Amino acid sequence: MIPDSFVQELLARVDVVDVVGRYVQLRKGGANLLGLCPFHNEKSPSFTVSPTKQFYHCFGCGAHGSAISFLIEHTGASFPEAVRNLAASAGMTVPEENRSPKQSAQARQRKEEVSRQQQILDAAQAHYVQELKASPQAIRYLKQRGLSGEIAARFGLGWSGTNRQGLKTVFPHYEDALLVESGLVIEADDGRRYDRFRERVMFPIRNVRGNIIGFGGRIIGKGEPKYLNSPETPLFSKGHELYGLWEGRAAIRSEGCVLVVEGYMDVVGLAQQGVGNAVATLGTATTPQHIQKLLRASDKVVFSFDGDKAGRRAAWRALQVALPLLRDDISIRFLFLPAEHDPDSYIREYGAEAFRAVLAEAMPLSRFMLDELASHHPMNEAEGRAACVHEAKPLLALIPEGTLRVQIEREFARLVQLTPDELSQVLASAPEPAPERVQHAPAPSPQSSAYDEPPGFMDDAPTGFDHAVPHEYEQHEPPAFSGSRAPRQGRPDTRQSRAVTPMAKRLLRLLLAHPELVSGMGDQQLEILEQSPHLVLVRDLIALASTSGARHVGALLQAAEPGSDLELLLGSLSTEILSQEDLPDPLAEWNDALHRIELDTIKAEQSALIQSGLLDEASRQRYQRLTRRLALLNNA
């Protein structure tokens, strides 16, 4: 493992502007630099790089991070590869944390195994391509599906053959364990081995760097399953990958849209007809990772599933997954073809222009959501409209704050015959959690007073961190699409994230912009921060800056634990300080904030003591000590 201390030293020595500038043309824009975002298709620059704070942020797609994360996201490099790349450019040697000989040997072995697996998959791909050229049966099938040799070559289509051990001709050492681990060979309980893919047209699955990481096979005769994927391997995870994303990258940019379909043949068939911007999930429901990859490829996503009930269920699942990731600057739509058609059959029957015409009329996510919610409630009666609101509450709670959420809530208010204010009052009450996942309130902090929050903290309502952190939720069966309404099997878990008060946000902004403040903190200041249950994230950030040695925003973003509340909050706040000029005296700002916190904490404790009646001598003495301390602070 690469030591964290080295990562921080590296980030202190490299310049994120130089790193990003290798791949993105940047121009001066005030204190920062601007350019076209490399992570999504845009015509005007929304991608900003801060030389003083050493991080980048795209106001279009939300991508942000340090020089290391940029290399990982843009080039597809692993974390160690990105660190070594940067270290080489800075003339630094990457150390490895002390490992036992056994650990070092295991790490080398894993690296060699991954490299060998890649070689094995490449060799299998070459074999499948050769087998296709020699198989009249497979060639006939592809021609019947209207595919040309050019398209077959472009997507690397192949044929697995019919031999149970056809790969033995490619891998003489057929007993090699890596053949099983790479997903090409299955080992039965009795030890016998055979090829996973037989009598199937083969579709190589590539990652964002164009490397083959797995295969999909489509059977052309009788048999089940119709589509078969590689199993989960160290290289391949179907919940993270999209078939055709690498092959369609140029068409996605030129079309300004990415089309999501259900199967490999839909992707290839559409490409044959000139629609090259289609991708497919790999036999699994749409995941948040899929949505994130799609939105990096384009700011417009259209899901086109089969027009039958199964296709609509898949669309509803995709909608639920997309809700927490919605933004005002993206468009997610749904195209429902006639029940007897999938995209491939539709375009072959009616042609590319007809398909593009229906694609242009795809239903926006908001309309699909509201129509489906209304379709299984009697909206002509009060009880039906109330039930519809009850069902919609957890879904609306998933949508981040923004103009889109306001627009959807207003349309929904009209649908259920409420005013926007009335709906807001209804939605303000927390949605009911799923029965099997009831969230219990945490026990009060020992330091907290009888008040939920000290006076003075809540100058305004809690700020938007509730929507900076994606809510956790469960995928569940969509509403019934038939005339009768199916019983609900579960509701999304809309657990509330930690609220961030204005004072906490002020402290977090200060620390994020000036991590050097941490080194000057004394025990008394830390004790003041410990007394408030509402400054947990502030204490977490202090601990992170102290232990990591981070010296700027980019380094703090890199040091935060992935997926933690702190990482998500830092990503949210970093955009706010992007154009903020450094304060002339950040230490004075910090001391002023701590001064106010102590004042408010003392007042809160005094109020609690008064409410208790000051019934014993200890309470009265405590009140007097607090009064004296309060007088000192006010004089100061």
Side-chain angles (χ1 to χ4, degrees), residues 218-237:
R218 207 283 189 193
I219 200 163
I220 65 174
K222 293 182 180 179
E224 293 292 338
K226 182 165 70 173
Y227 286 101
L228 179 66
N229 288 321
S230 291
E232 300 285 310
T233 72
L235 295 180
F236 175 66
S237 175

Side-chain angles (χ1 to χ4, degrees), residues 389-403:
V389 172
H390 180 76
E391 186 171 356
K393 280 171 66 177
L395 296 175
L396 293 172
L398 293 175
I399 305 174
E401 288 285 4
T403 306

Side-chain angles (χ1 to χ4, degrees), residues 595-616:
H595 181 84
R596 184 181 168 191
I597 288 172
E598 188 175 6
L599 283 172
D600 289 341
T601 304
I602 289 173
K603 291 176 184 177
E605 189 174 351
Q606 284 184 322
S607 297
L609 288 168
I610 291 171
Q611 282 198 340
S612 69
L614 298 173
L615 299 178
D616 53 58

Side-chain angles (χ1 to χ4, degrees), residues 77-99:
S78 65
F79 176 78
E81 289 171 341
V83 171
R84 291 189 175 94
N85 181 309
L86 285 177
S89 67
M92 300 172 67
T93 302
V94 180
E96 298 287 342
E97 287 187 341
N98 291 332
R99 295 176 174 179

Side-chain angles (χ1 to χ4, degrees), residues 471-552:
H471 295 277
E472 291 184 4
Y473 56 95
E474 295 175 337
Q475 293 183 9
H476 55 83
E477 286 300 308
F481 289 89
S482 59
S484 60
R485 181 169 178 246
R488 298 303 299 259
Q489 298 299 317
R491 293 191 176 277
D493 174 11
T494 52
R495 181 182 64 185
Q496 295 298 313
S497 306
R498 302 182 198 177
V500 177
T501 64
M503 177 57 75
K505 192 171 183 182
R506 177 184 175 188
L507 295 176
L508 288 163
R509 279 203 203 98
L510 268 171
L511 289 172
L512 196 55
H514 304 280
E516 68 276 6
L517 288 170
V518 172
S519 60
M521 290 182 194
D523 292 341
Q524 185 177 0
Q525 288 193 339
L526 294 175
E527 185 178 346
I528 292 171
L529 294 172
E530 280 291 337
Q531 290 175 359
S532 174
H534 308 285
L535 300 177
V536 175
L537 288 169
V538 176
R539 297 195 292 269
D540 288 349
L541 181 54
I542 290 171
L544 178 68
S546 178
T547 56
S548 69
R551 304 172 195 177
H552 48 65

Side-chain angles (χ1 to χ4, degrees), residues 60-217:
C61 69
H64 65 269
S66 67
I68 294 174
S69 60
F70 179 85
L71 286 182
I72 292 172
E73 296 296 331
H74 185 63
T75 68
S78 65
F79 176 78
E81 289 171 341
V83 171
R84 291 189 175 94
N85 181 309
L86 285 177
S89 67
M92 300 172 67
T93 302
V94 180
E96 298 287 342
E97 287 187 341
N98 291 332
R99 295 176 174 179
S100 65
K102 181 179 179 181
Q103 289 174 322
S104 298
Q106 289 173 339
R108 285 194 301 272
Q109 183 180 358
R110 283 194 297 271
K111 187 174 181 179
E112 290 170 0
E113 286 178 355
V114 167
S115 177
R116 282 197 61 208
Q117 278 194 40
Q118 190 70 69
Q119 295 171 8
I120 285 172
L121 294 174
D122 290 342
Q125 164 66 3
H127 168 72
Y128 294 144
V129 169
Q130 289 301 317
E131 287 291 297
L132 176 61
K133 294 177 180 177
S135 173
Q137 175 189 12
I139 292 172
R140 183 167 58 251
Y141 170 80
L142 294 178
K143 285 184 176 180
Q144 288 172 351
R145 298 299 299 261
L147 300 182
S148 66
E150 181 184 352
I151 284 292
R154 174 180 159 191
F155 283 87
L157 303 189
W159 171 246
S160 64
T162 58
N163 192 327
R164 282 179 60 85
Q165 294 186 337
L167 289 176
K168 217 169 189 178
T169 60
V170 185
F171 307 105
H173 186 39
Y174 196 67
E175 304 303 315
D176 189 342
L178 281 180
L179 291 178
V180 175
E181 191 172 337
S182 62
L184 295 173
V185 170
I186 294 175
E187 187 171 65
D189 292 339
D190 59 7
R192 289 183 297 174
R193 292 188 169 202
Y194 54 92
D195 292 1
R196 177 178 298 274
F197 300 101
R198 299 186 308 280
E199 298 184 59
R200 292 179 182 273
V201 172
M202 299 298 292
F203 299 79
I205 302 166
R206 301 178 185 273
N207 63 14
V208 293
R209 304 176 72 181
N211 296 325
I212 296 175
I213 55 175
F215 291 95

Side-chain angles (χ1 to χ4, degrees), residues 315-326 365-366 368-374 376-377 387-401 404-405 408-409 412 427 429-433 467 471-479 485 488 490-496:
W316 184 258
R317 292 191 189 99
L319 178 144
Q320 289 178 291
V321 172
L323 288 179
L325 301 172
L326 292 182
L365 177 144
S366 59
F368 176 42
M369 176 180 169
L370 299 184
D371 285 355
E372 290 308 319
L373 285 169
H376 43 88
H377 294 285
C388 187
V389 172
H390 180 76
E391 186 171 356
K393 280 171 66 177
L395 296 175
L396 293 172
L398 293 175
I399 305 174
E401 288 285 4
L404 179 58
R405 176 169 173 164
I408 291 175
E409 288 183 358
F412 184 67
L427 297 179
S429 59
E432 295 179 12
H467 302 284
H471 295 277
E472 291 184 4
Y473 56 95
E474 295 175 337
Q475 293 183 9
H476 55 83
E477 286 300 308
R485 181 169 178 246
R488 298 303 299 259
R491 293 191 176 277
D493 174 11
T494 52
R495 181 182 64 185
Q496 295 298 313

Side-chain angles (χ1 to χ4, degrees), residues 374-389:
S375 68
H376 43 88
H377 294 285
M379 301 300 288
N380 60 340
E381 61 184 38
E383 289 82 356
R385 293 191 295 274
C388 187
V389 172

